[in-house]
Amino acid sequence: MHLLTLLLLSSVSTSTTSASPVATSSVSRVVHTEAAYFSAMAKGSSSLHQKNYGLAALAFEQATKVKPQSARAHHHLAISLSNLNRNQEALDALAKSAQLGNRSIEADELRALLLIRENQIPQARAELAKIESLPSALLGMSLNVSGSAPALYAHLGEVSRAGVMTTSVLAASAASRGLALQAHSLATIAQDLGHEFNQALWSNAMRDLVTRINEEQGALTMRGRLKTTFDHVKNPEFKAAGQTTLPSATRFSFAAEAALAWRFDTFRWDSSVFALQRIYLAQNQGLSDYAINGLVWANRFTIPLNQRPNATRLHLSLRVRDLYADNFRVHYANNIEGGPSLRLPLGSSSFIELGILGTATDFIDRSPPDDVVSSQNRDLVGQRAFIELAWANEDLSGDITASFLRDDARGEAFDMNGLSLSGRILADLSGGLYLRTGAGVGLGRFGPVGEVSVLGAAAIRNEFRLYGEIAVLVRLADWLQLSLENHYLQNAGRTGHAYTDNILSFGVEVQY
Amino acid sequence: MLPLVLLLAVSAPQPVGVLSTTKGKVEVVQPSQGVFRQAEAGLLLESDDAVATGENGWAEIMLTQSLTLRLAASSELKVHRDFLFLGNGRVWIQSMSSPESLAHELRVWGGKLAIRPGSTLIAERIAGRGVNITVIRGEATVIMKNSAYPAQSVLESQSYWLRPSVVGLRPQKSSRAIWKILSQESRRVLGDRLGLEAYLLHWVQTVKTQFRSPSASWEMPKMETYIRGELGAQFDSLLESAVRPAPFSENEVPAKGPNVRVEVSFEGS
């Protein structure tokens, strides 16, 4: 001990022989400052660890006073204030820390969390986009940040605490986006993992989520709706320009639909029966052939190709349509169409769907309209190939579809190859008010009839179609909706075949 | 008397850091003491102190210049006023210094690292293989001992092996696997101090589910020749096909026979 004292004294005397009293005082202050700073930091850390956030905040605040230039002290103060829900003060402390050189990932994560709490969602999303870490990806999933999910897949189902959290968050994300199959599957996995790792809170949360899924989206869910529209129709007979026709007519349309979705373990079956009845209010004798009765039975199987919330989904669709008129006295046609399509997610809120469908239409022989339309048989078998880009955000959703169409009819005059491009947007104007608008263009090439080498251009006919719609929807309640819609169609064919029609309709829809 | 007080004040060792959090077996050896002794959180560290963690040990150390270290199990680190020395094991280093500050120095077997202020990195010494450096953020420069090769810069998201017996290695893109392991270790010890897990758990518990209703018939298949509204899409195109004449006139398309007309004219007749 004596030796130590001697050593210390000699050391001090050596180091201070040339030092002035002022310098000695300065050194002393530095020693004191450092000790006070580290003591405050240690006390703050200990309090933080013990979740005594008030005491931690006081200690770190003390540390910032002792060393105002310490980025770390401000950083820890921000953590303490965040846990006290003093979000704005925490953001200020973080800003100060960043100003002093703090570029840590933890600081970015905390900033994102504080911005979420302060409901500054766009800023939080921007912050999260800069960070590559598991917590940031999890936070991103809670905000539907596109690109967050891939970073989490490595932890999906992982036998670890991170695996429990990740799988749970992915399950909740799937549930928030209506993906019941994936949500149910992931929540079950997360629940088991939670049990295994004694993460009771997470496990219970997943158990509750499974219960909610079963309650809200049980094995069998049903939906019914009735829709009535009052329509003002121009050119109800689809007559070409120059031909004698009724310029306009008014009608009622009644539509009823019953649909069900049956969720199996790994896939889902949607099925729907739809019926439409139209009644013309005036000249109902002359328009009886256009007072249609339509029936549809549609089906779709959805098969996710894996358990991820953003899994590619395979759809198999089949739809059968039967078209009558004049209270089923005229039978126009029946049609069957269907095929596979693949839905590829592009993030959490958009996807691309690719599909190839087959279609077959049988125009009923010997029904009156068939006799007058053409001497050629119009029955056709066709193919459709399409690509659709769709997105859905909180306020705006829409889709754009490009298609290739081919009809191979028995009568060559009805053979057709065509292309179409259409798009539609639905905007949520808030307060239950929605605006929908859409447009489409199509080009169809009919024929060739006879020998092209002989007839040349006369062997084919081109038709260009332009379509536009605008609708205002008012959702008065979950079960009641009013609509005001206008649909316009212009068909630019050759003389005698060009026509336009327009439908203005007001509708009421009731849903169950 | 005053000079003596001043001398005593100056003689008090200046701390260079503090053990802010410990878990499991954490020991400190101070040159003045000469033996390892169990350390608790809150212990002030002086220059030349060494910290060693046991097989289940973990320690967080706060040093001057806003430098924070996390020492994994079975690691040894010496702290000096001007540099750090990693004797064994794995250390996570985070600098919150301003860019204008001097680079921090980490000495390892076979060389040393100059850590740019504001950086975060992990250094791990694996006996027999050398030292692996993974830069999470910022940049570090590796300077090999006794080598004529120039200093090697390791950038963000890169990993580098420092092997005294091998020269000329290049940094590789890091999988960040080691970082994920360290993050999990830290979370185990420090808990959810940011409140992220609490937020996520609350979100999971209260997330608003939006399960899709059974699809409507017009969506299955969601494919129409031309969009014509929900009701029209299903029937109007079919009706139009049923009632509209062919795009060709009937005389253009005879029901049977070829579309060839042969005209013969005789000269002079």
Side-chain angles (χ1 to χ4, degrees):
Chain A
M1 190 63 195
H2 288 291
L3 181 65
L4 182 65
T5 311
L6 277 175
L7 275 171
L8 280 171
L9 284 173
S10 66
S11 152
V12 168
S13 61
T14 309
S15 62
T16 53
T17 43
S18 59
S20 68
V22 174
T24 308
S25 168
S26 169
V27 171
S28 164
R29 202 163 45 243
V30 168
V31 171
H32 176 72
T33 301
E34 289 294 322
Y37 168 75
F38 283 123
S39 292
M41 290 301 287
K43 191 175 177 184
S45 293
S46 170
S47 303
L48 201 58
H49 197 54
Q50 291 161 8
K51 299 188 176 175
N52 192 340
Y53 302 119
L55 208 57
L58 284 175
F60 291 127
E61 198 169 5
Q62 179 63 28
T64 60
K65 282 177 183 162
V66 175
K67 262 182 121 172
Q69 298 307 309
S70 169
R72 184 172 49 198
H74 289 284
H75 176 83
H76 282 75
L77 176 61
I79 293 174
S80 307
L81 293 170
S82 162
N83 280 295
L84 293 168
N85 276 325
R86 290 157 65 179
N87 298 332
Q88 195 51 55
E89 292 171 76
L91 280 168
D92 293 343
L94 269 185
K96 179 72 180 167
S97 180
Q99 199 182 343
L100 294 169
N102 181 4
R103 288 184 62 241
S104 69
I105 289 173
E106 190 178 66
D108 291 344
E109 290 170 351
L110 180 59
R111 193 175 298 110
L113 178 65
L114 290 165
L115 290 168
I116 292 170
R117 284 201 200 136
E118 289 291 285
N119 208 24
Q120 297 178 30
I121 303 302
Q123 292 91 329
R125 284 197 173 117
E127 195 68 36
L128 288 169
K130 296 188 296 190
I131 320 169
E132 278 185 53
S133 71
L134 177 64
S136 68
L138 291 168
L139 284 177
M141 277 313 277
S142 76
L143 297 181
N144 271 336
V145 172
S146 59
S148 293
L152 299 176
Y153 291 155
H155 298 282
L156 180 57
E158 186 182 271
V159 190
S160 68
R161 183 173 162 76
V164 177
M165 274 197 303
T166 301
T167 313
S168 302
V169 168
L170 287 172
S173 171
S176 74
R177 286 182 288 129
L179 303 169
L181 292 173
Q182 288 98 321
H184 191 277
S185 170
L186 288 164
T188 308
I189 294 169
Q191 194 182 348
D192 292 343
L193 285 172
H195 274 306
E196 200 171 328
F197 278 87
N198 207 22
Q199 299 290 320
L201 288 173
W202 288 94
S203 186
N204 290 344
M206 287 299 99
R207 184 200 58 209
D208 294 346
L209 185 59
V210 169
T211 307
R212 281 166 66 192
I213 294 168
N214 287 335
E215 283 174 359
E216 295 173 35
Q217 182 79 13
L220 180 67
T221 49
M222 302 187 73
R223 173 193 183 197
R225 66 191 185 111
L226 296 169
K227 184 172 184 179
T228 301
T229 61
F230 177 72
D231 308 325
H232 179 73
V233 189
K234 287 189 174 174
N235 190 16
E237 299 168 291
F238 301 101
K239 294 287 187 186
Q243 291 184 323
T244 307
T245 182
L246 280 172
S248 65
T250 51
R251 72 185 182 206
F252 270 117
S253 297
F254 300 99
E257 181 163 36
L260 64 85
W262 198 344
R263 183 170 54 80
F264 295 87
D265 186 32
T266 53
F267 68 93
R268 167 178 161 140
W269 170 46
D270 288 79
S271 187
S272 166
V273 176
F274 180 88
L276 174 69
Q277 166 82 60
R278 280 183 183 154
I279 299 170
Y280 282 88
L281 299 181
Q283 298 100 12
N284 55 1
Q285 289 302 315
L287 293 171
S288 60
D289 283 352
Y290 302 94
I292 59 172
N293 317 105
L295 297 170
V296 179
W297 180 44
N299 296 275
R300 180 166 65 192
F301 287 91
T302 302
I303 306 162
L305 299 186
N306 57 51
Q307 291 178 331
R308 295 172 177 176
N310 277 357
T312 298
R313 288 194 277 164
L314 174 67
H315 288 156
L316 298 173
S317 304
L318 176 71
R319 181 167 70 173
V320 179
R321 292 183 286 178
D322 212 352
L323 183 64
Y324 298 83
D326 196 13
N327 293 320
F328 296 94
R329 280 191 278 272
V330 175
H331 191 183
Y332 280 120
N334 48 45
N335 165 270
I336 183 167
E337 61 188 344
S341 60
L342 211 54
R343 181 170 293 189
L344 310 164
L346 295 177
S348 54
S349 57
S350 58
F351 64 83
I352 282 181
E353 187 159 346
L354 305 162
I356 299 173
L357 306 172
T359 182
T361 304
D362 178 18
F363 293 96
I364 305 303
D365 292 341
R366 291 181 295 283
S367 65
D370 197 41
D371 288 344
V372 299
V373 168
S374 174
S375 61
Q376 287 209 338
N377 194 325
R378 294 163 294 163
D379 293 352
L380 63 89
V381 172
Q383 293 81 39
R384 310 279 183 263
F386 72 92
I387 179 168
E388 177 191 6
L389 168 67
W391 69 94
N393 294 324
E394 285 173 12
D395 302 328
L396 194 71
S397 59
D399 62 84
I400 298 170
T401 305
S403 312
F404 169 74
L405 321 152
R406 178 177 179 272
D407 290 342
D408 182 9
R410 290 194 177 180
E412 59 194 2
F414 293 94
D415 287 349
M416 192 270 285
N417 288 312
L419 296 168
S420 77
L421 180 68
S422 60
R424 192 153 33 184
I425 288 173
L426 177 68
D428 183 351
L429 304 178
S430 75
L433 198 62
Y434 297 83
L435 177 68
R436 189 182 71 209
T437 183
V441 291
L443 179 66
R445 168 173 281 200
F446 290 85
V449 295
E451 286 296 326
V452 181
S453 57
V454 176
L455 298 175
I460 56 171
R461 291 281 182 266
N462 291 326
E463 281 194 356
F464 179 75
R465 293 163 72 103
L466 175 67
Y467 174 84
E469 73 169 12
I470 186 160
V472 177
L473 312 171
V474 184
R475 189 161 292 167
L476 299 176
D478 285 344
W479 56 274
L480 182 63
Q481 178 174 283
L482 304 180
S483 61
L484 183 63
E485 305 172 51
N486 192 77
H487 304 276
Y488 172 82
L489 173 67
Q490 183 178 34
N491 189 347
R494 70 189 180 106
T495 306
H497 286 77
Y499 72 96
T500 59
D501 66 32
N502 190 79
I503 304 167
L504 176 65
S505 68
F506 171 74
V508 181
E509 184 174 333
V510 178
Q511 287 195 24
Y512 162 67
Chain B
M1 189 63 186
L2 184 61
L4 183 60
V5 171
L6 282 173
L7 281 174
L8 285 172
V10 172
S11 69
Q14 183 181 344
V16 295
V18 65
L19 265 176
S20 52
T21 309
T22 61
K23 183 174 181 287
K25 187 180 177 185
V26 179
E27 294 177 317
V28 171
V29 60
Q30 296 178 305
S32 56
Q33 307 273 331
V35 290
F36 277 108
R37 58 187 177 90
Q38 181 68 27
E40 300 290 335
L43 178 74
L44 294 178
L45 298 173
E46 298 162 20
S47 188
D48 283 332
D49 284 358
V51 182
T53 53
E55 283 181 4
N56 64 345
W58 189 92
E60 186 182 71
I61 304 164
M62 293 178 177
L63 298 177
T64 50
Q65 291 186 288
S66 283
L67 203 60
T68 305
L69 316 177
R70 287 176 189 162
L71 209 54
S74 303
S75 302
E76 286 178 20
L77 183 91
K78 181 179 175 180
V79 292
H80 187 274
R81 195 177 310 282
D82 301 321
F83 64 88
L84 302 164
F85 177 72
L86 178 65
N88 210 3
R90 191 163 60 208
V91 64
W92 172 94
I93 303 174
Q94 183 177 71
S95 159
M96 289 188 188
S97 309
S98 63
E100 299 80 31
S101 315
L102 291 174
H104 312 284
E105 186 177 311
L106 173 69
R107 295 183 183 175
V108 292
W109 297 104
K112 61 182 178 182
L113 277 75
I115 304 167
R116 196 175 74 187
S119 302
T120 303
L121 61 81
I122 295 160
E124 180 178 22
R125 177 171 183 256
I126 300 172
R129 292 193 66 187
V131 178
N132 181 260
I133 298 116
T134 302
V135 177
I136 306 300
R137 270 198 176 172
E139 182 183 357
T141 306
V142 181
I143 302 145
M144 290 186 73
K145 200 174 181 180
N146 301 328
S147 169
Y149 280 83
Q152 180 65 58
S153 178
V154 187
L155 304 175
E156 190 164 309
S157 299
Q158 284 186 339
S159 180
Y160 182 76
W161 273 101
L162 173 61
R163 298 182 179 186
S165 56
V166 184
V167 290
L169 289 174
R170 299 266 174 216
Q172 304 290 316
K173 184 166 173 52
S174 169
S175 68
R176 294 190 165 205
I178 189 71
W179 177 46
K180 287 170 188 166
I181 291 169
L182 275 176
S183 300
Q184 288 181 25
E185 278 179 4
S186 303
R187 267 198 296 275
R188 265 203 299 276
V189 179
L190 299 173
D192 179 29
R193 65 180 192 176
L194 295 190
L196 286 167
E197 287 185 32
Y199 162 79
L200 290 168
L201 181 63
H202 182 256
W203 177 73
V204 162
Q205 287 168 333
T206 57
V207 68
K208 191 179 173 191
T209 54
Q210 292 185 342
F211 294 120
R212 193 158 44 90
S213 302
S215 300
S217 56
W218 64 274
E219 297 174 291
M220 304 183 293
K222 192 177 184 305
M223 168 61 206
E224 300 302 332
T225 308
Y226 307 103
I227 53 173
R228 297 189 65 146
E230 183 191 340
L231 299 183
Q234 298 205 78
F235 297 110
D236 281 353
S237 56
L238 201 57
L239 175 64
E240 191 184 339
S241 304
V243 301
R244 287 194 66 221
F248 298 88
S249 304
E250 281 296 305
N251 63 355
E252 290 178 309
V253 189
K256 288 179 184 176
N259 297 335
V260 178
R261 188 169 69 193
V262 178
E263 291 185 9
V264 180
S265 60
F266 297 94
E267 199 174 322
S269 61

